[in-house]
Amino acid sequence: MRSDGIVPDVVSYSTVIKAAVATGDLTRAEELVSEMRKAGVQPDVVVLNTVLAGYAAQLRWDRAVEILADFEEAGIRADMLSFSLLLRACVRAQVPDQARQALVMMRAADLQPNTRIYSMLLSAYAQAGRLQESLALLQEMQEEQTRANKYSYSALMEACIVAGQPEMALPLFEQMKAEGIPADTVTYTLLIRSFVAQATQGVSDRRRARGVRRTHKGGAREGDPLVRNVQAVGAHGVTDESIRMAGADGMKGNAMENDGMEGGDMGEGGDMLGRAFETVKEMSSLQGSCAPNVITFNALLQGCKEASSPAKVLQAVRSMLALGIAPNRNTFRILASELPTASETRSDNLSLHLLAGVTEVFDEFGRQLNGDVYLALLRACAAESNTELVLRMREKRCAQQEAVRGERATFVLRQVQMPEAIELENDILERSVANRIR
């Protein structure tokens, strides 16, 4: 360009700086800013925001603050976008105090924060669980007549959950609707998370209290509603019929029916899980922007697992698949995780019962389970010395993989998982044969 006698102007430099930022070379971007100043070309706010965007993308909020100060010293006034980029860096880097300072700097520049800016700051507080500051910021917005939106209330509800005060999320949800702000999938899912958090808090308290009242140390009480279905399995392992019973337990009728807690002794935790299921049911009826998604069901599944409620887990799985919602990796991670209980013996029984039921429900809807769930099922079978289920699952896996090379296999095993699965299967079967010989 210079060789042709053309002198670069601010637009030319802006284009080259933007290209440097796009490649992540922020050192080069700053060198170009220095070069343009030496050439007598004054950077403008577009150049400032381009560089700020690069540092925001790398979460380097501290350098973004320095760049902002440097440009202001040079007489280039930051605009709303400049402070929005700085706030974004602070929020993503989870430094709420620096995000608040960005708001102070914005006011010092005679710029009035808008709803978007406030919502970003609320998100920073929410991630840190700083509920009181979040509520104070909402009050500040109201005093300045800045109307909150669904993102503002989403951040406030998140703050309630992270701060360990999930019961405060519902009043905020109702306040949002009272202000004429429509709920969506995100706000409904946060409401479900708040119910789940209350349910698991109550269950954890009761589990700790029950731990000192067990008549048999480490054992489950006869008639405990959490082991009734396990007892029904019998002493000879999990049969096809028992798997079908597990998969159908508490889930007859419509996808979202029968959402009372099993046995009725889960107290407030059961009530809260029931409200979570009712909220999913409401979302399903509303559809559109309120329809439940896989994140909604993952929150519900996580709560059911933490509440040690196998029937509720199966009900949530059935509901999700009945609505045509495909599970993701997090869904399978939750399903494969251990079931928290007060007794290791009871945990093994319940894990086997639960995973067998999950297998049946997925088969019913023609869905594939991943290898994480299969390995968890094998470990539960090993703990219970259940060879019958292992044989049946291995035969099904081998037959399907032979027929369609795994494309429609019940369990989708990654290459790295296959050796561990085969080793577990063989170990369980070999131990069974050894026990019979003895």
Coordinates of all heavy atoms in Angstrom, one line a residue, residues 323-398:
L323 N -41.3 -37.0 25.2 CA -41.4 -35.7 24.6 C -40.4 -35.6 23.4 O -40.4 -34.5 22.8 CB -41.1 -34.6 25.6 CG -42.1 -34.4 26.7 CD1 -41.6 -33.5 27.8 CD2 -43.4 -33.9 26.2
G324 N -39.7 -36.6 23.1 CA -38.8 -36.6 21.9 C -37.5 -35.8 22.1 O -36.9 -35.4 21.2
I325 N -37.1 -35.6 23.4 CA -35.9 -34.9 23.7 C -34.7 -35.8 23.8 O -34.8 -36.8 24.6 CB -36.1 -34.1 25.1 CG1 -37.2 -33.1 24.9 CG2 -34.8 -33.4 25.5 CD1 -37.6 -32.4 26.2
A326 N -33.7 -35.6 23.0 CA -32.6 -36.5 23.0 C -31.6 -36.2 24.1 O -31.3 -35.1 24.4 CB -31.8 -36.3 21.6
P327 N -31.2 -37.3 24.8 CA -30.2 -37.1 25.9 C -28.9 -36.7 25.4 O -28.5 -36.9 24.2 CB -30.1 -38.5 26.6 CG -30.5 -39.4 25.5 CD -31.5 -38.7 24.6
N328 N -28.1 -35.9 26.2 CA -26.7 -35.6 25.8 C -25.7 -36.2 26.7 O -26.1 -37.1 27.6 CB -26.6 -34.1 25.8 CG -26.8 -33.4 27.1 OD1 -26.8 -34.1 28.2 ND2 -26.9 -32.1 27.1
R329 N -24.5 -35.9 26.6 CA -23.4 -36.6 27.4 C -23.6 -36.3 28.9 O -23.4 -37.2 29.7 CB -22.0 -36.1 27.0 CG -21.6 -36.5 25.6 CD -20.2 -36.1 25.2 NE -19.2 -36.7 26.1 CZ -17.9 -36.5 26.0 NH1 -17.5 -35.6 25.1 NH2 -17.1 -37.1 26.9
N330 N -24.1 -35.1 29.2 CA -24.4 -34.9 30.7 C -25.5 -35.7 31.2 O -25.5 -36.2 32.4 CB -24.7 -33.4 30.9 CG -24.6 -33.0 32.3 OD1 -23.7 -33.4 33.0 ND2 -25.5 -32.1 32.7
T331 N -26.5 -36.0 30.4 CA -27.6 -36.9 30.8 C -27.0 -38.3 31.2 O -27.4 -38.8 32.2 CB -28.6 -37.1 29.6 OG1 -29.0 -35.8 29.1 CG2 -29.9 -37.8 30.1
F332 N -26.2 -38.8 30.3 CA -25.6 -40.1 30.6 C -24.7 -40.1 31.8 O -24.6 -41.1 32.5 CB -24.8 -40.6 29.3 CG -25.8 -40.9 28.2 CD1 -25.5 -40.3 26.9 CD2 -26.8 -41.8 28.3 CE1 -26.4 -40.6 25.9 CE2 -27.7 -42.1 27.2 CZ -27.4 -41.5 26.0
R333 N -24.0 -39.0 32.0 CA -23.1 -38.9 33.1 C -23.9 -38.9 34.4 O -23.5 -39.6 35.4 CB -22.3 -37.5 33.1 CG -21.4 -37.3 34.3 CD -20.9 -35.9 34.3 NE -22.0 -34.9 34.5 CZ -22.6 -34.7 35.7 NH1 -22.2 -35.4 36.8 NH2 -23.6 -33.8 35.8
I334 N -25.1 -38.2 34.4 CA -25.9 -38.3 35.6 C -26.5 -39.7 35.8 O -26.5 -40.2 37.0 CB -27.1 -37.3 35.4 CG1 -26.6 -35.8 35.4 CG2 -28.1 -37.4 36.5 CD1 -27.6 -34.8 34.9
L335 N -26.9 -40.3 34.8 CA -27.5 -41.7 34.9 C -26.4 -42.7 35.4 O -26.8 -43.6 36.2 CB -28.1 -42.1 33.6 CG -29.3 -41.4 33.1 CD1 -29.7 -41.9 31.7 CD2 -30.5 -41.6 34.1
A336 N -25.2 -42.5 35.0 CA -24.1 -43.4 35.3 C -23.5 -43.2 36.7 O -22.8 -44.0 37.3 CB -23.0 -43.4 34.3
S337 N -23.8 -42.0 37.3 CA -23.3 -41.6 38.6 C -23.9 -42.5 39.7 O -25.0 -43.0 39.6 CB -23.5 -40.2 38.9 OG -24.9 -39.9 39.0
E338 N -23.1 -42.6 40.8 CA -23.6 -43.4 41.9 C -24.8 -42.8 42.6 O -25.0 -41.5 42.6 CB -22.5 -43.5 43.0 CG -21.3 -44.4 42.5 CD -20.3 -44.6 43.6 OE1 -20.6 -44.2 44.7 OE2 -19.2 -45.1 43.3
L339 N -25.7 -43.6 43.1 CA -26.9 -43.2 43.8 C -26.5 -42.9 45.2 O -26.2 -43.8 45.9 CB -28.0 -44.2 43.7 CG -29.4 -43.8 44.0 CD1 -30.0 -42.8 42.9 CD2 -30.3 -45.0 44.1
P340 N -26.6 -41.7 45.7 CA -26.2 -41.4 47.1 C -27.2 -41.9 48.1 O -28.4 -41.7 48.0 CB -26.2 -39.8 47.1 CG -27.1 -39.4 46.1 CD -27.1 -40.5 45.0
T341 N -26.8 -42.8 49.0 CA -27.6 -43.3 50.0 C -26.8 -43.4 51.3 O -25.6 -43.1 51.4 CB -28.1 -44.8 49.7 OG1 -26.9 -45.6 49.6 CG2 -28.8 -44.8 48.4
A342 N -27.5 -43.7 52.4 CA -26.9 -43.8 53.7 C -26.2 -45.2 53.9 O -25.6 -45.4 54.9 CB -27.9 -43.6 54.8
S343 N -26.4 -46.1 53.0 CA -25.9 -47.5 53.1 C -25.3 -48.0 51.8 O -25.9 -47.9 50.8 CB -27.0 -48.4 53.6 OG -26.7 -49.7 53.3
E344 N -24.0 -48.5 51.9 CA -23.4 -49.0 50.7 C -24.2 -50.2 50.1 O -24.3 -50.3 48.9 CB -22.0 -49.4 51.0 CG -21.1 -48.2 51.3 CD -19.6 -48.7 51.6 OE1 -19.4 -49.9 51.4 OE2 -18.8 -47.8 51.9
T345 N -24.7 -51.1 51.0 CA -25.4 -52.2 50.5 C -26.6 -51.8 49.8 O -26.9 -52.3 48.7 CB -25.8 -53.1 51.7 OG1 -24.6 -53.5 52.4 CG2 -26.5 -54.4 51.2
R346 N -27.3 -50.9 50.3 CA -28.6 -50.4 49.7 C -28.2 -49.7 48.4 O -29.0 -49.8 47.4 CB -29.3 -49.5 50.6 CG -30.7 -49.2 50.1 CD -31.5 -48.4 51.2 NE -31.0 -47.1 51.3 CZ -31.7 -46.1 52.0 NH1 -32.8 -46.4 52.6 NH2 -31.2 -44.9 52.1
S347 N -27.1 -49.0 48.4 CA -26.7 -48.3 47.1 C -26.5 -49.3 46.0 O -26.9 -49.0 44.9 CB -25.5 -47.5 47.4 OG -25.0 -46.8 46.2
D348 N -25.8 -50.4 46.3 CA -25.6 -51.4 45.2 C -26.9 -51.9 44.7 O -27.1 -52.0 43.4 CB -24.7 -52.5 45.8 CG -23.3 -52.1 46.1 OD1 -22.9 -51.1 45.5 OD2 -22.7 -52.7 46.9
N349 N -27.8 -52.3 45.6 CA -29.1 -52.8 45.1 C -29.8 -51.8 44.3 O -30.4 -52.1 43.2 CB -29.9 -53.2 46.3 CG -29.4 -54.5 47.0 OD1 -28.8 -55.3 46.4 ND2 -29.7 -54.6 48.3
L350 N -29.9 -50.6 44.8 CA -30.6 -49.6 44.1 C -30.0 -49.2 42.8 O -30.7 -48.9 41.8 CB -30.7 -48.3 45.0 CG -31.7 -48.4 46.2 CD1 -31.6 -47.2 47.1 CD2 -33.1 -48.6 45.7
S351 N -28.7 -49.2 42.7 CA -28.0 -48.9 41.4 C -28.4 -49.9 40.4 O -28.6 -49.6 39.2 CB -26.5 -48.8 41.6 OG -26.2 -47.7 42.4
L352 N -28.4 -51.2 40.7 CA -28.7 -52.2 39.8 C -30.2 -52.1 39.4 O -30.5 -52.2 38.2 CB -28.5 -53.6 40.5 CG -28.8 -54.8 39.6 CD1 -27.9 -54.8 38.3 CD2 -28.4 -56.1 40.4
H353 N -31.0 -51.9 40.3 CA -32.5 -51.7 40.0 C -32.7 -50.5 39.1 O -33.4 -50.6 38.1 CB -33.2 -51.4 41.3 CG -34.5 -50.7 41.2 ND1 -35.6 -51.3 40.7 CD2 -34.8 -49.4 41.5 CE1 -36.6 -50.4 40.7 NE2 -36.1 -49.3 41.2
L354 N -32.0 -49.4 39.4 CA -32.2 -48.2 38.6 C -31.6 -48.4 37.2 O -32.3 -48.0 36.2 CB -31.5 -47.0 39.3 CG -31.4 -45.7 38.5 CD1 -32.8 -45.2 38.2 CD2 -30.7 -44.6 39.3
L355 N -30.4 -48.8 37.1 CA -29.8 -49.0 35.7 C -30.5 -50.0 34.9 O -30.6 -49.8 33.6 CB -28.3 -49.3 35.9 CG -27.4 -48.2 36.5 CD1 -26.1 -48.7 36.9 CD2 -27.3 -47.1 35.5
A356 N -31.0 -51.1 35.5 CA -31.8 -52.0 34.7 C -33.1 -51.4 34.2 O -33.5 -51.6 33.1 CB -32.1 -53.2 35.6
G357 N -33.7 -50.5 35.0 CA -34.9 -49.8 34.6 C -34.6 -48.8 33.5 O -35.4 -48.7 32.5
V358 N -33.5 -48.1 33.6 CA -33.1 -47.2 32.6 C -32.9 -47.9 31.3 O -33.3 -47.4 30.2 CB -31.8 -46.4 33.0 CG1 -31.2 -45.6 31.8 CG2 -32.1 -45.4 34.1
T359 N -32.3 -49.0 31.3 CA -32.0 -49.8 30.1 C -33.3 -50.2 29.4 O -33.5 -50.1 28.2 CB -31.3 -51.1 30.4 OG1 -30.0 -50.8 31.1 CG2 -31.0 -51.9 29.2
E360 N -34.3 -50.6 30.2 CA -35.6 -51.0 29.6 C -36.3 -49.8 29.0 O -36.9 -49.9 27.9 CB -36.5 -51.6 30.8 CG -37.9 -52.0 30.3 CD -37.9 -53.2 29.3 OE1 -36.8 -53.9 29.2 OE2 -38.9 -53.4 28.7
V361 N -36.3 -48.7 29.7 CA -37.0 -47.5 29.2 C -36.3 -47.0 27.8 O -37.0 -46.7 26.9 CB -37.0 -46.4 30.2 CG1 -37.6 -45.1 29.6 CG2 -37.8 -46.8 31.4
F362 N -35.0 -47.0 27.8 CA -34.3 -46.7 26.6 C -34.7 -47.6 25.4 O -34.9 -47.2 24.3 CB -32.8 -46.6 26.8 CG -32.4 -45.2 27.2 CD1 -32.6 -44.7 28.4 CD2 -31.7 -44.4 26.2 CE1 -32.2 -43.4 28.8 CE2 -31.2 -43.1 26.6 CZ -31.5 -42.6 27.8
D363 N -34.7 -48.9 25.7 CA -35.1 -49.9 24.7 C -36.5 -49.7 24.2 O -36.7 -49.8 23.0 CB -35.0 -51.3 25.3 CG -33.5 -51.9 25.3 OD1 -32.7 -51.2 24.7 OD2 -33.3 -52.9 26.0
E364 N -37.3 -49.4 25.1 CA -38.8 -49.2 24.8 C -38.9 -48.0 23.8 O -39.7 -48.1 22.8 CB -39.6 -48.8 26.0 CG -41.1 -48.6 25.8 CD -41.8 -48.2 27.1 OE1 -41.3 -48.5 28.1 OE2 -42.8 -47.6 26.9
F365 N -38.1 -47.0 23.9 CA -38.2 -45.8 23.0 C -37.2 -45.9 21.9 O -37.1 -45.0 21.1 CB -38.0 -44.5 23.8 CG -39.2 -44.1 24.6 CD1 -39.3 -44.5 26.0 CD2 -40.2 -43.3 24.1 CE1 -40.4 -44.2 26.7 CE2 -41.3 -43.0 24.9 CZ -41.4 -43.4 26.2
G366 N -36.5 -47.0 21.7 CA -35.5 -47.2 20.6 C -34.4 -46.3 20.7 O -33.8 -45.9 19.7
R367 N -34.0 -45.9 21.9 CA -32.9 -44.9 22.1 C -31.6 -45.7 22.6 O -31.7 -46.8 23.2 CB -33.2 -43.9 23.2 CG -34.2 -42.9 22.7 CD -33.6 -41.8 21.9 NE -34.5 -40.8 21.6 CZ -34.2 -39.7 20.9 NH1 -33.0 -39.5 20.5 NH2 -35.1 -38.7 20.7
Q368 N -30.5 -45.1 22.3 CA -29.2 -45.8 22.6 C -28.7 -45.2 23.9 O -28.7 -44.0 24.2 CB -28.2 -45.6 21.5 CG -28.5 -46.2 20.2 CD -27.5 -45.8 19.1 OE1 -26.9 -44.8 19.2 NE2 -27.3 -46.7 18.1
L369 N -28.1 -46.1 24.7 CA -27.4 -45.7 25.9 C -25.9 -45.7 25.6 O -25.5 -46.5 24.8 CB -27.7 -46.7 27.1 CG -29.0 -46.5 27.8 CD1 -29.3 -47.8 28.6 CD2 -29.0 -45.3 28.7
N370 N -25.2 -44.8 26.3 CA -23.7 -44.8 25.9 C -22.9 -45.7 26.9 O -23.5 -46.4 27.8 CB -23.2 -43.4 26.0 CG -23.0 -42.9 27.4 OD1 -23.5 -43.4 28.4 ND2 -22.3 -41.7 27.5
G371 N -21.7 -45.9 26.6 CA -20.8 -46.8 27.3 C -20.7 -46.5 28.8 O -20.5 -47.4 29.6
D372 N -20.8 -45.2 29.2 CA -20.7 -44.9 30.6 C -21.8 -45.6 31.4 O -21.5 -46.1 32.5 CB -20.8 -43.4 30.8 CG -19.6 -42.6 30.2 OD1 -18.6 -43.2 30.1 OD2 -19.8 -41.5 29.8
V373 N -23.0 -45.6 30.9 CA -24.1 -46.3 31.6 C -23.9 -47.8 31.6 O -24.2 -48.5 32.6 CB -25.4 -45.9 30.9 CG1 -26.6 -46.6 31.6 CG2 -25.7 -44.4 30.9
Y374 N -23.4 -48.4 30.5 CA -23.2 -49.8 30.4 C -22.1 -50.2 31.5 O -22.3 -51.2 32.2 CB -22.7 -50.2 29.0 CG -22.6 -51.7 28.8 CD1 -23.6 -52.5 29.2 CD2 -21.5 -52.2 28.2 CE1 -23.5 -53.9 29.0 CE2 -21.4 -53.6 28.0 CZ -22.4 -54.4 28.4 OH -22.3 -55.8 28.3
L375 N -21.0 -49.5 31.5 CA -20.0 -49.8 32.5 C -20.5 -49.7 33.9 O -20.2 -50.5 34.8 CB -18.8 -48.9 32.3 CG -18.0 -49.1 31.0 CD1 -16.9 -48.0 30.8 CD2 -17.3 -50.5 31.0
A376 N -21.3 -48.7 34.2 CA -21.9 -48.5 35.5 C -22.8 -49.7 35.9 O -22.9 -50.2 37.0 CB -22.7 -47.2 35.6
L377 N -23.6 -50.2 34.8 CA -24.5 -51.3 35.0 C -23.6 -52.6 35.3 O -24.0 -53.4 36.2 CB -25.3 -51.5 33.8 CG -26.2 -52.8 33.8 CD1 -27.2 -52.7 34.9 CD2 -27.0 -52.8 32.5
L378 N -22.5 -52.8 34.6 CA -21.7 -53.9 34.9 C -21.1 -53.9 36.3 O -21.0 -54.9 36.9 CB -20.5 -53.9 33.8 CG -20.9 -54.3 32.4 CD1 -19.7 -54.2 31.5 CD2 -21.4 -55.8 32.4
R379 N -20.7 -52.7 36.7 CA -20.1 -52.6 38.1 C -21.2 -52.9 39.1 O -20.9 -53.6 40.2 CB -19.6 -51.2 38.3 CG -18.4 -50.9 37.4 CD -17.8 -49.5 37.8 NE -16.8 -49.2 36.8 CZ -16.9 -48.2 35.9 NH1 -18.0 -47.5 35.8 NH2 -16.0 -47.9 35.0
A380 N -22.4 -52.5 38.9 CA -23.5 -52.8 39.8 C -23.8 -54.3 39.8 O -24.0 -54.9 40.9 CB -24.8 -52.0 39.5
C381 N -23.7 -54.9 38.6 CA -23.9 -56.4 38.5 C -22.8 -57.1 39.3 O -23.0 -58.1 39.9 CB -23.9 -56.8 37.1 SG -25.4 -56.4 36.2
A382 N -21.5 -56.6 39.2 CA -20.4 -57.2 39.9 C -20.6 -57.1 41.4 O -20.4 -58.1 42.1 CB -19.1 -56.5 39.5
A383 N -21.1 -56.0 41.9 CA -21.3 -55.9 43.3 C -22.4 -56.8 43.8 O -22.3 -57.3 45.0 CB -21.7 -54.4 43.6
E384 N -23.4 -57.1 43.0 CA -24.5 -58.0 43.4 C -24.3 -59.4 42.8 O -25.2 -60.3 43.0 CB -25.8 -57.4 42.8 CG -26.2 -56.1 43.5 CD -26.5 -56.3 45.0 OE1 -27.4 -57.1 45.3 OE2 -25.8 -55.7 45.8
S385 N -23.1 -59.7 42.2 CA -22.9 -61.0 41.6 C -24.0 -61.5 40.7 O -24.4 -62.6 40.7 CB -22.6 -62.1 42.7 OG -21.6 -61.7 43.5
N386 N -24.5 -60.6 39.9 CA -25.6 -60.9 39.0 C -25.1 -61.2 37.6 O -24.8 -60.4 36.8 CB -26.6 -59.6 38.9 CG -27.9 -60.0 38.2 OD1 -27.8 -60.4 37.1 ND2 -29.0 -59.7 38.9
T387 N -25.1 -62.5 37.3 CA -24.5 -63.0 36.1 C -25.6 -63.0 35.0 O -25.3 -62.9 33.8 CB -23.9 -64.4 36.2 OG1 -24.9 -65.3 36.7 CG2 -22.8 -64.4 37.1
E388 N -26.9 -63.2 35.4 CA -28.0 -63.3 34.4 C -28.1 -62.1 33.6 O -28.2 -62.2 32.3 CB -29.3 -63.6 35.2 CG -30.5 -63.8 34.2 CD -31.8 -64.0 35.0 OE1 -31.7 -64.2 36.2 OE2 -32.8 -63.9 34.4
L389 N -28.1 -60.9 34.2 CA -28.2 -59.7 33.4 C -27.0 -59.4 32.6 O -27.1 -59.0 31.4 CB -28.4 -58.5 34.4 CG -28.7 -57.2 33.8 CD1 -29.9 -57.2 32.9 CD2 -28.9 -56.1 34.9
V390 N -25.8 -59.8 33.1 CA -24.6 -59.6 32.3 C -24.6 -60.4 31.0 O -24.3 -59.9 30.0 CB -23.3 -59.9 33.2 CG1 -22.1 -59.9 32.3 CG2 -23.2 -59.0 34.3
L391 N -25.0 -61.7 31.2 CA -25.1 -62.6 30.0 C -26.0 -62.0 29.0 O -25.7 -62.0 27.8 CB -25.5 -64.0 30.4 CG -24.4 -64.9 31.0 CD1 -25.0 -66.1 31.6 CD2 -23.4 -65.2 29.9
R392 N -27.2 -61.6 29.4 CA -28.2 -61.1 28.5 C -27.8 -59.8 27.8 O -28.0 -59.7 26.6 CB -29.5 -60.9 29.3 CG -30.7 -60.6 28.3 CD -32.0 -60.8 29.0 NE -32.2 -60.0 30.2 CZ -32.1 -60.5 31.4 NH1 -31.9 -61.7 31.6 NH2 -32.3 -59.7 32.5
M393 N -27.2 -58.9 28.6 CA -26.7 -57.6 28.0 C -25.5 -57.9 27.0 O -25.5 -57.3 25.9 CB -26.2 -56.7 29.1 CG -27.4 -56.1 29.9 SD -28.5 -55.1 29.0 CE -29.9 -56.2 28.7
R394 N -24.6 -58.8 27.3 CA -23.5 -59.1 26.4 C -24.0 -59.7 25.1 O -23.5 -59.4 24.0 CB -22.5 -60.0 27.1 CG -21.2 -60.2 26.2 CD -20.1 -60.8 27.0 NE -20.3 -62.3 27.2 CZ -19.3 -63.1 27.6 NH1 -18.1 -62.6 27.8 NH2 -19.6 -64.4 27.8
E395 N -24.9 -60.7 25.3 CA -25.5 -61.3 24.1 C -26.1 -60.3 23.1 O -26.0 -60.3 21.9 CB -26.5 -62.4 24.5 CG -25.8 -63.6 25.1 CD -26.8 -64.6 25.6 OE1 -28.0 -64.3 25.5 OE2 -26.4 -65.6 26.2
K396 N -26.9 -59.4 23.8 CA -27.6 -58.4 23.0 C -26.6 -57.4 22.3 O -26.7 -57.1 21.1 CB -28.5 -57.5 23.9 CG -29.3 -56.5 23.1 CD -30.2 -55.7 24.1 CE -31.3 -56.5 24.7 NZ -32.2 -55.6 25.5
R397 N -25.6 -57.0 23.1 CA -24.5 -56.1 22.5 C -23.8 -56.8 21.4 O -23.6 -56.2 20.3 CB -23.5 -55.7 23.6 CG -22.4 -54.9 23.1 CD -21.4 -54.5 24.2 NE -20.8 -55.6 24.9 CZ -19.8 -56.3 24.5 NH1 -19.3 -56.0 23.3 NH2 -19.3 -57.3 25.1
C398 N -23.3 -58.0 21.6 CA -22.6 -58.7 20.5 C -23.4 -58.9 19.3 O -23.0 -58.7 18.1 CB -22.1 -60.0 21.0 SG -20.8 -59.8 22.3

